[in-house]
Amino acid sequence: THGYQVLDARWLHLHGIARAIEAIKSRVGEHRCYLTFDIDFIDPAFAPGTGTPVVGGFDTHTALELIRGLAGVNIIGADIVEVSPPFDHAEITALAGASIAQEILCLMASKE
């Protein structure tokens, strides 16, 4: 194995955000980590502006709660991927991405 643990959407729907946050924090511990957020996590009903929309995802509130729950994790860098403005109706995907980016920046700033 390569040391990766994948908690997919089915796992998250079954176990919930609180368990996911616990699992992430347990896995990462005190180690430095890089956070990448794929906008496809959010259902296309809430974030249609992506090149590979995946139905059965989560709403924006859930995404923000997951990110906020990572308070205390030693995040040293981050990115948000898959936002595609040509597919973004009414710029709601860009707004979701910007809100997630703001939350991640707040996490990074609050650790100091």
Side-chain angles (χ1 to χ4, degrees):
T1 73
H2 297 287
Y4 292 100
Q5 179 182 17
V6 176
L7 306 178
D8 65 9
R10 291 172 294 202
W11 187 95
L12 192 54
H13 279 296
L14 181 64
H15 297 286
I17 293 296
R19 284 274 310 274
I21 292 166
E22 288 174 19
I24 292 166
K25 287 184 170 184
S26 173
R27 182 78 174 187
V28 173
E30 298 293 320
H31 296 285
R32 297 180 302 160
C33 72
Y34 186 92
L35 173 63
T36 187
F37 186 92
D38 190 329
I39 205 73
D40 295 345
F41 174 87
I42 303 174
D43 191 275
F46 303 98
T50 181
T52 52
V54 179
V55 297
F58 299 88
D59 61 18
T60 310
H61 170 77
T62 303
L64 293 170
E65 286 300 305
L66 178 60
I67 298 299
R68 290 176 186 139
L70 298 180
V73 173
N74 189 11
I75 300 169
I76 61 165
D79 64 17
I80 300 169
V81 298
E82 297 281 340
V83 175
S84 179
F87 298 114
D88 195 9
H89 310 291
E91 300 178 352
I92 60 174
T93 309
L95 181 58
S99 297
I100 291 164
Q102 179 183 11
E103 293 295 331
I104 293 169
L105 288 170
C106 289
L107 287 177
M108 293 172 71
S110 69
K111 72 178 181 183
E112 297 177 13

